[in-house]
Amino acid sequence: MALLTALQGDYGDAADALRIDGRALSREELLGAATAVADRVAGAPALAVLARPTVETVVAVVGGLLAGVPVVPLPPDSGPKEREHILRDSGAALLAHAVGDAGSGGVQGLPVDPAERAATTYAEPAADATGFVLYTSGTTGAPKGAVIRREAIAADLEALAAAWQWTAEDTLVHGLPLFHVHGLLLGVLGALRTGSRLVHTGRPTPAGYAAAGGSLYFGVPTVWSRVAADPEAARRLTSARLLVSGSAPLPVPVFEKLAALTGHAPIERYGMTESLITVSTRADGERRPGSVGLPLDGVRTRLVGEDGAPVPSDGESVGELQIAGPTLFSGYLNRPDADAEAWTADGWFRTGDVAVIGADGFHRIVGRASVDLIKSGGYRIGAGEVEAALRDHPAVADAAVVGAPDEDLGQAIVAYVVPDGAVTGEQLTAFVAERLSAHKRPRRVVLVPELPRNALGKVLKKQLLTEAGEKK
Ligand code: MCA
Ligand code: AMP
């Protein structure tokens, strides 16, 4: 099951098969430029890619995949601390970037020129070879590298194409970041594999989506909420075929508003970096507000109680969602401890999400088991990582971070900080943005004399959450 089948196969080659932020490439041009990258990276242990939303990023990623070199997307706004960790932990020997773009952070730079061409033929790498190492946050510590096999991606894209009736006739539109599963694996490789055209709007704005004239649209709930708040833009999506939401829960009012304005009940699907997309409503099935639908072909799900006992699929009982199937990752790079926690003895992956399954098989995600994994604008952020960054500041004695409910972002990062000296919230926000990624910086910093703790010294996050919700 070759990952990039349609790219190398026989296809009608539009001059703008791939359009990103106004620049276009045909498939033949993409293949030629990517092969030139492959020639330069073949044999490398891993290829990091400075993943701005540009054609260079796509050329570099496809080049790595053609050569069978694991690709490590680097968030372009990541600060030195996060960047160093990702480059060191992944063992990337090269960092691909656009000509004239940022320095390489200690790793050899590989400028990518989309006008370059090469025609070397590469044998299809083994199906179980690593396609990507994707860095994702846990509740504490630095991001972990999830090792994703090529066959997992191919299986996921195949199952999604079936669920969404996604074909070469489609034009896919989105403006999501190119360093996560949603924007890169689905939003770029999905288009390349199905043969559909891709329009990437640079940023996921309502105006950009409205102007793109596509048939298939991807967005995180924050994007759909902004579209629903812009009736003029929303109405221009009437001619689309399918609107798809994922990466965080789509609020029912947003689902309903979008359906009323566009005439399309959105598809909602559920996934994780570690599992890829596993559950979705279907193009030819019921699209129920608040529900993520049915497991994709080949995916198995189950609910397990806190006591480890099975939880019935009765539409009421709540349990941890566990997943098995061909789309699962192989494990975390260099983190046997995290692997031991993530997998059950019988080989199921613990998602950490709490869900309900109906007798009809429809899945509803109720929330996360841990308050320390935050989803803001569809980004996954570990409270512990932000707390550690804050504590690195000389004027911070202690810090606790929560995800407060937020209408636009789902959750917003709020930091409670005990200062040790003179410091402002803005200074701390800037400090986090510099060290980690910009999207990990707190939206709000509350300076407090002390943090509420229980008798064992554990911070009472639920209390902080209530406070953060009340004091918005
Ligand atoms: C942002 N800004 C801030 C702060 N944060 N200013 C001060 N303090 C802060 N803490 C600034 C931004 O830099 C920007 O400034 C301005 O606010 C507004 O930014 P904008 O981009 O419009 O919005 P945003 O609020 O920053 O971002 C919303 C977003 C973004 C565009 C929806 O969150 C996003 O791209 N999310 C997608 C995440 C994603 O793809 N997740 C998928 C994970 P300026 O305008 O000056 O720049 S994969 C996954 O979850 C699984 C597998 C799945 O199921 O898909
Ligand atoms: P990430 O690893 O960034 O892909 O984040 C995965 C997490 O996003 C999951 O564990 C869920 O908590 C959340 N998520 C993704 N899609 C949905 C959805 N449709 N509804 C609710 N939560 C979702």
Side-chain angles (χ1 to χ4, degrees), residues 416-439:
Y416 286 82
V417 170
V418 182
D420 178 15
V423 68
T424 66
E426 277 106 62
Q427 285 165 342
L428 292 175
T429 300
F431 185 76
V432 173
E434 264 165 34
R435 300 174 72 82
L436 308 177
S437 295
H439 64 262

Side-chain angles (χ1 to χ4, degrees), residues 136-137 180-181 221 245-250 268-274 279 292 351-353 365 367-368 373 375 378-380:
T136 189
S137 296
H180 282 313
V181 167
S245 179
S247 303
L250 182 68
E268 187 169 3
R269 93 298 180 288
Y270 161 85
M272 285 186 82
T273 303
E274 291 90 337
V279 184
V292 293
T351 64
D353 287 307
I365 309 297
R368 283 208 66 90
L373 258 198
K375 267 267 153 160
Y379 284 116
R380 170 167 153 187

Side-chain angles (χ1 to χ4, degrees), residues 176-177 180-182 203-204 220 222-223 226 246-247 269-273 277 375-379 408-409 429 438 441-443:
L176 297 167
H180 282 313
V181 167
H182 198 164
R203 291 180 88 158
V220 296
T222 301
V223 170
R226 292 176 184 183
S247 303
R269 93 298 180 288
Y270 161 85
M272 285 186 82
T273 303
I277 309 309
K375 267 267 153 160
S376 186
Y379 284 116
D408 180 43
L409 297 166
T429 300
R441 71 191 134 163
R443 298 266 163 172

Side-chain angles (χ1 to χ4, degrees), residues 367-390:
R368 283 208 66 90
S370 168
V371 290
D372 285 332
L373 258 198
I374 299 168
K375 267 267 153 160
S376 186
Y379 284 116
R380 170 167 153 187
I381 300 145
E385 191 188 2
V386 182
E387 287 160 2
L390 285 165

